[in-house]
Amino acid sequence: MASLLCNARECPGRGVRAGRWVESIHPPSWVPEAGGREVPSAMQPALPPGIQLTETLEKMQQGTLMRKVKSKSWKKQRYFKLQDDCMTIWYQSKRTGKTESAFSISDVETVREGHQSEVLQSLAEEFPPERCFTIVFYGRRGNLDLIAGTEEEAQCWVQGLRQLIEVATSMDQRERIDQWIRDWFQKADKNKDGRMNFKEVQRLLKMMNVDMNEDHALRLFQAADKSESGTLEGEEFVLFYKALTEREEVQSLFREFSEDGKKLTLLELVDFLRQEQLEEEGTEELAMELIDKYEPSETARARHALSADGFLMYLCSPEGSIFNPQHRALWQDMTQPLCHYFISSSHNTYLIEDQIRGQSSIEGYIRALKRGCRCLEVDCWDGPNGEPIVYHGHTFTSKIPFREVVSTLGKYAFQASDFPVILSLENHCSMEQQEVLAQQLKDILGEQLLTATTDGRVPTQLPSPEELKHKILLKGKKIGRLEDTLDGPGDEAPDVSDDDNGAEAEEERRRMKKDRESLAQALSDCVVYCKNVSFRGFQEARNHSRPSEISSLSEAKARKLIRDAGNEFVRHNTWQLTRIYPSGMRTDSSNYSPQEMWNAGCQIVALNFQTAGMEMDLCDGLFSQNGHCGYVLKPAFMRDEGTLFNPSDPSTWQGPGPVTLTIQVISGQQLPKVANSKDGAIIDPLVRVEIHGVPADQAHQETKYIENNGFNPHWDETLQFQLHVPQLALVRFVVEDYDKTSRNDFVGQFTLAFANIKPGYRHIHLLSKDGTGIPPSSLFVHIRITEPPGPEQD
């Protein structure tokens, strides 16, 4: 058990009256010392750390009648109430009185005031913005639009929710574990008396994904029932939980480095960090930091020692994660040309469902931008009253005004990242409405919209993300050449006169004439560095050598180019941008694997962000590094115009040989149940490790499955992979529930770039299908990376 102890006087607002904490047992901070017979604070309506019961929260606990809104016609009254734990909200139907739903504060990302959703905007004339608000959930879960009876009630809920969200997001690891245990206790304590009898404990074990022998469970129960009352309460429940979560694999590792088996001295911890975790620089300083941060005992901290509990806390922390914490921050060079980066890119961003009948929504843009997406797509068509609209043309998808999309872009573009956003414009508008498009872009975005080159000269290469910070670039058709609108070529501008005669000049004039007939000059002038051009082969692109042009290719066309001219494609992408988009046959908004496109250096690999699955896991995995800014620097051999690299040809991979990645899958912790599983069903988990990279590196291996144990399964299996181009590899860990009669069910996953892996004993904190956290679910692994002999690879 890895929870912190504190003196009752140091824990205000937690309903604690009795005594000190018993340091030897390390119960969570909400459990009083044995002997006091009051109902334990955790089992009462205990408040999580950081929450003070304000007048606002008390009003929310009393409950409020509000309208839940799904459309202009669907507005139903629901009674919303904050539960006593201040971490759960439930609501019930006014008509039936039946509790309809509940959600946890930790599921809520933010609260938006006023008419900030299409539904609430459609009701703007009926209900003032002061009474309206939207609760936004993490992942792909739909938002909750609410209308309060009064402005005061709306403000009460908006301010109260924001206060609780801040507490939930700022909880440290100990507090999250404490909250998690509280939640389980309250779920299992059916009669709400603050105690659990053996039947309730058995039910709890089923809920927690544990299929335990009844005799063994009873032994644990009786050992924890110190008062011999036949029920568990307070500290007794913690003892039971501690016995249940005993991590023998961690204890044995701890004993390996601890001379007395009770603590790690500073030097013993340094030995562990150097020998196993392969920490090289500042190891003593790191050891001191870890003790200060994760050791629960003040006495041990004062002696610069780490207890077994502190050791477990460290291993479960960000510093003990498989993901290198230094790579979470912005760690790459951002001063290279745009074409030297992989760019997080979305397809049909306005859709939040399928491509035929799905809903178009500004929510698609908000979600993509908040995830660090830097290239958005917008399909524009003529709309009523001279106002352009956005939707998937010639389908039954709903429509949204272009003006709303641009306003949303202006508001959210740089909340998650400072680096440039590319707006990919699919223009199907008449000349008149194209003028409106241009005017709305300029009026709404103002200085954010880039309308000239950064230095007023003809670019010899694309500018960098650093130079284009806080700028929105329009990608679309343009009349004529960029150089025709500028003062003249730069010092090292390419010779643009080569094509000024003969057949090519005639072709250029013909294209310009066609463009002038179909494209408004005002809209054309908004396109600077991302002029859409048809792809007519690598040779023609090189002959014209204009870095400010970009071609869009279907996934099938891109695959053919990779197969037929892999090296030429890689070279092309060293100096010019390429956008890849999904096949038109993907009407269900499914995705292709982005990896094969990244292997060729394609920068803008557009995916349907609304569709969860392996493809989006890879996208999230690649872009979870570098400050989540939406730009990842390509490897050096993919930025060299003379590169010999061809992803399909192993003879072009220079280097001393393959890197060996060895993964010992040790154990799993508190794995979630499979969604929609039968009540009481326990999972049979297995772990599959997948390598996504160049064709020769594509591989997957899996462990055996463990029967009926999603709580603390042990595999102790070693998987090994050879990586020929580790710079391009992504590693995906997947947990599945084995099923011998049908397809395995998904349980959780975590994906990261090979470059971001930390060796040693590491926890992998699993994510849901939606890419959101499911704490405290994790895998415990040991990672070893063996470099081939010889000079280091670039």
Side-chain angles (χ1 to χ4, degrees), residues 533-581:
V533 294
S534 297
F535 180 75
R536 295 186 173 85
F538 297 121
Q539 193 57 50
E540 182 172 331
R542 190 76 251 189
N543 287 345
H544 291 89
S545 193
R546 295 194 186 103
S548 56
E549 293 181 346
I550 176 172
S551 298
S552 288
L553 306 171
S554 71
E555 57 174 291
K557 172 80 170 174
R559 273 194 207 99
K560 187 172 189 315
L561 289 172
I562 293 167
R563 192 170 58 245
D564 298 347
N567 175 246
E568 281 188 274
F569 206 175
V570 174
R571 287 188 178 196
H572 175 82
N573 287 325
T574 63
W575 63 274
Q576 195 175 79
L577 290 169
T578 303
R579 179 177 183 268
I580 314 296
Y581 58 89

Short mmCIF file of all heavy atoms in Angstrom, two decimals, residues 533-581:
data_model
loop_
_atom_site.label_atom_id
_atom_site.label_comp_id
_atom_site.label_asym_id
_atom_site.label_seq_id
_atom_site.Cartn_x
_atom_site.Cartn_y
_atom_site.Cartn_z
N VAL A 533 -1.11 22.26 -55.38
CA VAL A 533 -0.84 21.95 -56.78
C VAL A 533 -1.07 20.46 -57.00
O VAL A 533 -0.87 19.66 -56.09
CB VAL A 533 0.61 22.33 -57.19
CG1 VAL A 533 0.82 23.83 -57.13
CG2 VAL A 533 1.64 21.59 -56.34
N SER A 534 -1.48 20.12 -58.21
CA SER A 534 -1.64 18.70 -58.55
C SER A 534 -0.26 18.06 -58.61
O SER A 534 0.70 18.68 -59.08
CB SER A 534 -2.33 18.55 -59.91
OG SER A 534 -3.62 19.10 -59.83
N PHE A 535 -0.18 16.83 -58.17
CA PHE A 535 1.11 16.12 -58.20
C PHE A 535 1.31 15.53 -59.59
O PHE A 535 0.51 14.72 -60.06
CB PHE A 535 1.14 15.02 -57.14
CG PHE A 535 2.44 14.27 -57.12
CD1 PHE A 535 3.58 14.85 -56.58
CD2 PHE A 535 2.53 13.00 -57.67
CE1 PHE A 535 4.78 14.17 -56.55
CE2 PHE A 535 3.72 12.30 -57.65
CZ PHE A 535 4.86 12.89 -57.10
N ARG A 536 2.38 15.98 -60.29
CA ARG A 536 2.68 15.50 -61.65
C ARG A 536 4.03 14.80 -61.70
O ARG A 536 4.71 14.83 -62.72
CB ARG A 536 2.65 16.67 -62.62
CG ARG A 536 1.26 17.30 -62.77
CD ARG A 536 1.21 18.36 -63.84
NE ARG A 536 -0.14 18.81 -64.07
CZ ARG A 536 -0.73 19.77 -63.34
NH1 ARG A 536 -0.06 20.36 -62.36
NH2 ARG A 536 -1.98 20.12 -63.59
N GLY A 537 4.42 14.22 -60.61
CA GLY A 537 5.68 13.47 -60.60
C GLY A 537 6.78 14.23 -59.88
O GLY A 537 6.78 15.46 -59.79
N PHE A 538 7.73 13.47 -59.34
CA PHE A 538 8.82 14.07 -58.56
C PHE A 538 9.73 14.94 -59.43
O PHE A 538 10.22 15.97 -59.00
CB PHE A 538 9.64 12.97 -57.88
CG PHE A 538 8.85 12.16 -56.89
CD1 PHE A 538 8.69 10.79 -57.03
CD2 PHE A 538 8.22 12.78 -55.81
CE1 PHE A 538 7.95 10.05 -56.12
CE2 PHE A 538 7.47 12.06 -54.90
CZ PHE A 538 7.34 10.68 -55.06
N GLN A 539 9.92 14.51 -60.69
CA GLN A 539 10.84 15.25 -61.57
C GLN A 539 10.31 16.65 -61.85
O GLN A 539 11.03 17.64 -61.76
CB GLN A 539 11.04 14.48 -62.88
CG GLN A 539 12.20 14.98 -63.74
CD GLN A 539 13.53 14.97 -63.00
OE1 GLN A 539 13.89 13.96 -62.40
NE2 GLN A 539 14.23 16.10 -62.97
N GLU A 540 9.00 16.74 -62.17
CA GLU A 540 8.43 18.06 -62.46
C GLU A 540 8.46 18.94 -61.22
O GLU A 540 8.77 20.13 -61.31
CB GLU A 540 7.00 17.93 -62.98
CG GLU A 540 6.42 19.30 -63.33
CD GLU A 540 5.06 19.24 -64.02
OE1 GLU A 540 4.79 18.25 -64.71
OE2 GLU A 540 4.30 20.19 -63.86
N ALA A 541 8.15 18.37 -60.07
CA ALA A 541 8.19 19.17 -58.83
C ALA A 541 9.60 19.72 -58.60
O ALA A 541 9.78 20.89 -58.24
CB ALA A 541 7.77 18.30 -57.65
N ARG A 542 10.61 18.88 -58.83
CA ARG A 542 12.01 19.31 -58.62
C ARG A 542 12.42 20.37 -59.63
O ARG A 542 13.12 21.34 -59.30
CB ARG A 542 12.93 18.09 -58.74
CG ARG A 542 14.37 18.34 -58.31
CD ARG A 542 14.51 18.40 -56.82
NE ARG A 542 14.78 19.75 -56.36
CZ ARG A 542 15.12 20.10 -55.12
NH1 ARG A 542 15.20 19.19 -54.17
NH2 ARG A 542 15.33 21.33 -54.79
N ASN A 543 11.96 20.24 -60.88
CA ASN A 543 12.31 21.21 -61.92
C ASN A 543 11.81 22.60 -61.58
O ASN A 543 12.47 23.60 -61.83
CB ASN A 543 11.75 20.77 -63.29
CG ASN A 543 12.51 19.60 -63.86
OD1 ASN A 543 13.61 19.28 -63.40
ND2 ASN A 543 11.92 18.92 -64.85
N HIS A 544 10.60 22.66 -61.01
CA HIS A 544 10.04 23.97 -60.65
C HIS A 544 10.54 24.43 -59.29
O HIS A 544 10.61 25.62 -59.02
CB HIS A 544 8.51 23.92 -60.65
CG HIS A 544 7.92 23.76 -62.01
ND1 HIS A 544 7.68 22.53 -62.57
CD2 HIS A 544 7.57 24.68 -62.95
CE1 HIS A 544 7.18 22.69 -63.79
NE2 HIS A 544 7.11 24.00 -64.04
N SER A 545 10.85 23.48 -58.43
CA SER A 545 11.47 23.74 -57.12
C SER A 545 10.86 24.91 -56.36
O SER A 545 11.51 25.90 -56.09
CB SER A 545 12.98 23.98 -57.32
OG SER A 545 13.63 23.93 -56.07
N ARG A 546 9.57 24.78 -56.04
CA ARG A 546 8.92 25.82 -55.24
C ARG A 546 8.52 25.22 -53.89
O ARG A 546 7.55 24.49 -53.79
CB ARG A 546 7.69 26.36 -55.96
CG ARG A 546 8.04 27.09 -57.25
CD ARG A 546 6.86 27.90 -57.75
NE ARG A 546 7.20 28.45 -59.06
CZ ARG A 546 6.75 27.96 -60.21
NH1 ARG A 546 5.94 26.93 -60.21
NH2 ARG A 546 7.11 28.51 -61.34
N PRO A 547 9.27 25.54 -52.82
CA PRO A 547 8.96 24.96 -51.50
C PRO A 547 7.59 25.37 -50.98
O PRO A 547 7.04 24.71 -50.11
CB PRO A 547 10.07 25.54 -50.59
CG PRO A 547 11.12 26.05 -51.52
CD PRO A 547 10.45 26.42 -52.79
N SER A 548 7.03 26.46 -51.52
CA SER A 548 5.74 26.96 -51.01
C SER A 548 4.56 26.23 -51.62
O SER A 548 3.42 26.59 -51.36
CB SER A 548 5.61 28.46 -51.28
OG SER A 548 5.75 28.71 -52.66
N GLU A 549 4.81 25.20 -52.45
CA GLU A 549 3.72 24.43 -53.03
C GLU A 549 3.55 23.11 -52.28
O GLU A 549 4.51 22.58 -51.71
CB GLU A 549 3.99 24.16 -54.52
CG GLU A 549 3.95 25.45 -55.33
CD GLU A 549 4.18 25.23 -56.81
OE1 GLU A 549 4.64 24.13 -57.21
OE2 GLU A 549 3.88 26.17 -57.58
N ILE A 550 2.33 22.61 -52.30
CA ILE A 550 2.03 21.37 -51.57
C ILE A 550 1.07 20.53 -52.39
O ILE A 550 0.16 21.07 -53.04
CB ILE A 550 1.43 21.69 -50.17
CG1 ILE A 550 1.02 20.40 -49.45
CG2 ILE A 550 0.25 22.65 -50.25
CD1 ILE A 550 0.59 20.63 -47.99
N SER A 551 1.29 19.22 -52.39
CA SER A 551 0.38 18.30 -53.09
C SER A 551 -0.35 17.43 -52.08
O SER A 551 0.23 17.03 -51.07
CB SER A 551 1.17 17.40 -54.04
OG SER A 551 1.81 18.16 -55.03
N SER A 552 -1.62 17.16 -52.39
CA SER A 552 -2.41 16.24 -51.56
C SER A 552 -2.59 14.94 -52.31
O SER A 552 -2.97 14.96 -53.49
CB SER A 552 -3.78 16.85 -51.24
OG SER A 552 -3.64 17.89 -50.31
N LEU A 553 -2.33 13.82 -51.64
CA LEU A 553 -2.40 12.50 -52.28
C LEU A 553 -3.33 11.59 -51.47
O LEU A 553 -3.32 11.63 -50.25
CB LEU A 553 -1.02 11.86 -52.34
CG LEU A 553 0.10 12.68 -53.00
CD1 LEU A 553 1.44 11.98 -52.78
CD2 LEU A 553 -0.17 12.85 -54.48
N SER A 554 -4.09 10.77 -52.20
CA SER A 554 -4.90 9.77 -51.50
C SER A 554 -3.98 8.71 -50.93
O SER A 554 -2.85 8.53 -51.38
CB SER A 554 -5.89 9.12 -52.46
OG SER A 554 -5.19 8.27 -53.35
N GLU A 555 -4.48 7.96 -49.94
CA GLU A 555 -3.65 6.92 -49.33
C GLU A 555 -3.18 5.90 -50.37
O GLU A 555 -2.04 5.43 -50.32
CB GLU A 555 -4.40 6.23 -48.18
CG GLU A 555 -5.74 5.61 -48.59
CD GLU A 555 -6.38 4.80 -47.47
OE1 GLU A 555 -5.83 3.73 -47.13
OE2 GLU A 555 -7.43 5.23 -46.95
N ALA A 556 -4.05 5.56 -51.35
CA ALA A 556 -3.68 4.57 -52.36
C ALA A 556 -2.56 5.10 -53.26
O ALA A 556 -1.61 4.38 -53.58
CB ALA A 556 -4.90 4.21 -53.20
N LYS A 557 -2.66 6.37 -53.67
CA LYS A 557 -1.62 6.98 -54.52
C LYS A 557 -0.30 7.03 -53.76
O LYS A 557 0.78 6.73 -54.32
CB LYS A 557 -2.07 8.40 -54.91
CG LYS A 557 -1.03 9.23 -55.64
CD LYS A 557 -0.95 8.88 -57.10
CE LYS A 557 -0.08 9.89 -57.84
NZ LYS A 557 0.14 9.52 -59.24
N ALA A 558 -0.36 7.39 -52.48
CA ALA A 558 0.86 7.47 -51.67
C ALA A 558 1.51 6.09 -51.55
O ALA A 558 2.73 5.96 -51.68
CB ALA A 558 0.54 8.03 -50.28
N ARG A 559 0.70 5.05 -51.34
CA ARG A 559 1.24 3.70 -51.22
C ARG A 559 1.96 3.27 -52.50
O ARG A 559 3.01 2.65 -52.47
CB ARG A 559 0.11 2.70 -50.93
CG ARG A 559 -0.18 2.56 -49.46
CD ARG A 559 -1.04 1.35 -49.15
NE ARG A 559 -1.77 1.64 -47.93
CZ ARG A 559 -3.02 2.07 -47.88
NH1 ARG A 559 -3.71 2.25 -48.99
NH2 ARG A 559 -3.59 2.35 -46.73
N LYS A 560 1.38 3.63 -53.64
CA LYS A 560 2.00 3.27 -54.94
C LYS A 560 3.34 3.99 -55.09
O LYS A 560 4.34 3.37 -55.54
CB LYS A 560 1.05 3.64 -56.08
CG LYS A 560 1.54 3.14 -57.44
CD LYS A 560 0.50 3.36 -58.52
CE LYS A 560 0.87 2.67 -59.82
NZ LYS A 560 2.25 2.84 -60.25
N LEU A 561 3.40 5.26 -54.70
CA LEU A 561 4.66 6.00 -54.81
C LEU A 561 5.72 5.42 -53.89
O LEU A 561 6.90 5.32 -54.24
CB LEU A 561 4.43 7.48 -54.48
CG LEU A 561 3.63 8.30 -55.51
CD1 LEU A 561 3.32 9.68 -54.97
CD2 LEU A 561 4.39 8.41 -56.82
N ILE A 562 5.31 5.02 -52.68
CA ILE A 562 6.26 4.41 -51.73
C ILE A 562 6.80 3.11 -52.31
O ILE A 562 8.00 2.83 -52.23
CB ILE A 562 5.58 4.16 -50.36
CG1 ILE A 562 5.22 5.49 -49.68
CG2 ILE A 562 6.49 3.35 -49.44
CD1 ILE A 562 4.27 5.36 -48.49
N ARG A 563 5.90 2.34 -52.94
CA ARG A 563 6.30 1.04 -53.49
C ARG A 563 7.21 1.22 -54.71
O ARG A 563 8.22 0.54 -54.86
CB ARG A 563 5.03 0.28 -53.88
CG ARG A 563 5.24 -1.18 -54.20
CD ARG A 563 3.91 -1.91 -54.33
NE ARG A 563 3.04 -1.35 -55.36
CZ ARG A 563 1.86 -0.77 -55.11
NH1 ARG A 563 1.41 -0.69 -53.87
NH2 ARG A 563 1.13 -0.30 -56.09
N ASP A 564 6.85 2.19 -55.60
CA ASP A 564 7.57 2.33 -56.87
C ASP A 564 8.77 3.26 -56.81
O ASP A 564 9.71 3.12 -57.61
CB ASP A 564 6.61 2.86 -57.96
CG ASP A 564 5.46 1.89 -58.24
OD1 ASP A 564 5.55 0.73 -57.78
OD2 ASP A 564 4.49 2.31 -58.88
N ALA A 565 8.73 4.26 -55.90
CA ALA A 565 9.81 5.26 -55.89
C ALA A 565 10.04 5.77 -54.47
O ALA A 565 10.00 6.98 -54.20
CB ALA A 565 9.44 6.43 -56.81
N GLY A 566 10.29 4.81 -53.56
CA GLY A 566 10.40 5.16 -52.14
C GLY A 566 11.44 6.22 -51.84
O GLY A 566 11.18 7.18 -51.11
N ASN A 567 12.64 6.08 -52.41
CA ASN A 567 13.70 7.05 -52.12
C ASN A 567 13.38 8.43 -52.68
O ASN A 567 13.61 9.45 -52.03
CB ASN A 567 15.04 6.56 -52.67
CG ASN A 567 16.14 7.59 -52.50
OD1 ASN A 567 16.67 8.12 -53.46
ND2 ASN A 567 16.47 7.91 -51.25
N GLU A 568 12.82 8.48 -53.91
CA GLU A 568 12.45 9.78 -54.49
C GLU A 568 11.40 10.48 -53.62
O GLU A 568 11.43 11.71 -53.46
CB GLU A 568 11.90 9.58 -55.90
CG GLU A 568 12.95 9.36 -56.96
CD GLU A 568 12.31 9.36 -58.34
OE1 GLU A 568 11.84 8.28 -58.76
OE2 GLU A 568 12.26 10.43 -58.96
N PHE A 569 10.47 9.69 -53.08
CA PHE A 569 9.42 10.26 -52.23
C PHE A 569 10.05 10.86 -50.96
O PHE A 569 9.72 11.97 -50.54
CB PHE A 569 8.42 9.17 -51.86
CG PHE A 569 7.03 9.66 -51.54
CD1 PHE A 569 6.00 8.75 -51.30
CD2 PHE A 569 6.73 11.01 -51.47
CE1 PHE A 569 4.71 9.18 -51.00
CE2 PHE A 569 5.44 11.46 -51.17
CZ PHE A 569 4.44 10.53 -50.93
N VAL A 570 10.97 10.12 -50.33
CA VAL A 570 11.65 10.62 -49.13
C VAL A 570 12.38 11.92 -49.45
O VAL A 570 12.32 12.90 -48.70
CB VAL A 570 12.62 9.56 -48.56
CG1 VAL A 570 13.43 10.14 -47.40
CG2 VAL A 570 11.86 8.32 -48.09
N ARG A 571 13.11 11.95 -50.59
CA ARG A 571 13.85 13.16 -50.99
C ARG A 571 12.91 14.34 -51.23
O ARG A 571 13.19 15.46 -50.83
CB ARG A 571 14.66 12.88 -52.26
CG ARG A 571 15.88 11.99 -52.04
CD ARG A 571 16.71 11.93 -53.29
NE ARG A 571 17.91 11.11 -53.08
CZ ARG A 571 18.96 11.11 -53.89
NH1 ARG A 571 18.96 11.88 -54.96
NH2 ARG A 571 20.00 10.35 -53.64
N HIS A 572 11.79 14.06 -51.93
CA HIS A 572 10.80 15.10 -52.20
C HIS A 572 10.33 15.75 -50.89
O HIS A 572 10.19 16.98 -50.79
CB HIS A 572 9.61 14.49 -52.95
CG HIS A 572 8.48 15.44 -53.18
ND1 HIS A 572 8.44 16.35 -54.22
CD2 HIS A 572 7.31 15.62 -52.49
CE1 HIS A 572 7.33 17.05 -54.17
NE2 HIS A 572 6.62 16.63 -53.13
N ASN A 573 10.11 14.91 -49.88
CA ASN A 573 9.59 15.40 -48.60
C ASN A 573 10.65 16.08 -47.74
O ASN A 573 10.34 16.57 -46.66
CB ASN A 573 8.95 14.24 -47.82
CG ASN A 573 7.62 13.82 -48.43
OD1 ASN A 573 6.87 14.65 -48.93
ND2 ASN A 573 7.34 12.52 -48.42
N THR A 574 11.91 16.14 -48.22
CA THR A 574 12.93 16.90 -47.48
C THR A 574 12.80 18.40 -47.75
O THR A 574 13.33 19.21 -46.99
CB THR A 574 14.36 16.46 -47.85
OG1 THR A 574 14.60 16.73 -49.24
CG2 THR A 574 14.58 14.99 -47.55
N TRP A 575 12.12 18.78 -48.85
CA TRP A 575 12.07 20.21 -49.19
C TRP A 575 10.66 20.72 -49.48
O TRP A 575 10.43 21.91 -49.58
CB TRP A 575 12.99 20.51 -50.38
CG TRP A 575 12.61 19.80 -51.66
CD1 TRP A 575 12.96 18.55 -52.04
CD2 TRP A 575 11.80 20.33 -52.72
NE1 TRP A 575 12.41 18.25 -53.27
CE2 TRP A 575 11.71 19.32 -53.71
CE3 TRP A 575 11.15 21.54 -52.93
CZ2 TRP A 575 10.98 19.49 -54.89
CZ3 TRP A 575 10.43 21.71 -54.10
CH2 TRP A 575 10.34 20.69 -55.07
N GLN A 576 9.67 19.81 -49.60
CA GLN A 576 8.31 20.25 -49.88
C GLN A 576 7.32 19.45 -49.04
O GLN A 576 7.56 18.28 -48.73
CB GLN A 576 7.98 20.07 -51.37
CG GLN A 576 6.74 20.82 -51.80
CD GLN A 576 6.50 20.73 -53.31
OE1 GLN A 576 6.02 19.73 -53.81
NE2 GLN A 576 6.86 21.78 -54.02
N LEU A 577 6.20 20.09 -48.68
CA LEU A 577 5.18 19.42 -47.88
C LEU A 577 4.31 18.49 -48.73
O LEU A 577 4.02 18.81 -49.90
CB LEU A 577 4.27 20.45 -47.21
CG LEU A 577 4.85 21.31 -46.08
CD1 LEU A 577 3.91 22.44 -45.72
CD2 LEU A 577 5.16 20.46 -44.85
N THR A 578 3.89 17.38 -48.15
CA THR A 578 2.94 16.47 -48.78
C THR A 578 1.83 16.16 -47.78
O THR A 578 2.11 15.89 -46.61
CB THR A 578 3.61 15.15 -49.19
OG1 THR A 578 4.70 15.41 -50.06
CG2 THR A 578 2.63 14.22 -49.89
N ARG A 579 0.59 16.21 -48.26
CA ARG A 579 -0.54 15.85 -47.41
C ARG A 579 -1.16 14.55 -47.93
O ARG A 579 -1.38 14.39 -49.13
CB ARG A 579 -1.61 16.95 -47.41
CG ARG A 579 -2.84 16.62 -46.56
CD ARG A 579 -3.84 17.77 -46.54
NE ARG A 579 -4.97 17.47 -45.67
CZ ARG A 579 -6.11 16.89 -46.07
NH1 ARG A 579 -6.27 16.54 -47.34
NH2 ARG A 579 -7.09 16.65 -45.22
N ILE A 580 -1.41 13.61 -47.02
CA ILE A 580 -2.07 12.34 -47.36
C ILE A 580 -3.45 12.33 -46.72
O ILE A 580 -3.60 12.75 -45.57
CB ILE A 580 -1.25 11.12 -46.84
CG1 ILE A 580 0.24 11.27 -47.16
CG2 ILE A 580 -1.83 9.82 -47.39
CD1 ILE A 580 0.59 11.27 -48.62
N TYR A 581 -4.45 11.85 -47.47
CA TYR A 581 -5.81 11.82 -46.90
C TYR A 581 -6.43 10.44 -47.11
O TYR A 581 -6.03 9.69 -48.02
CB TYR A 581 -6.69 12.91 -47.52
CG TYR A 581 -6.81 12.85 -49.02
CD1 TYR A 581 -7.81 12.09 -49.63
CD2 TYR A 581 -5.93 13.55 -49.85
CE1 TYR A 581 -7.93 12.02 -51.01
CE2 TYR A 581 -6.04 13.49 -51.23
CZ TYR A 581 -7.04 12.72 -51.80
OH TYR A 581 -7.16 12.65 -53.17
#
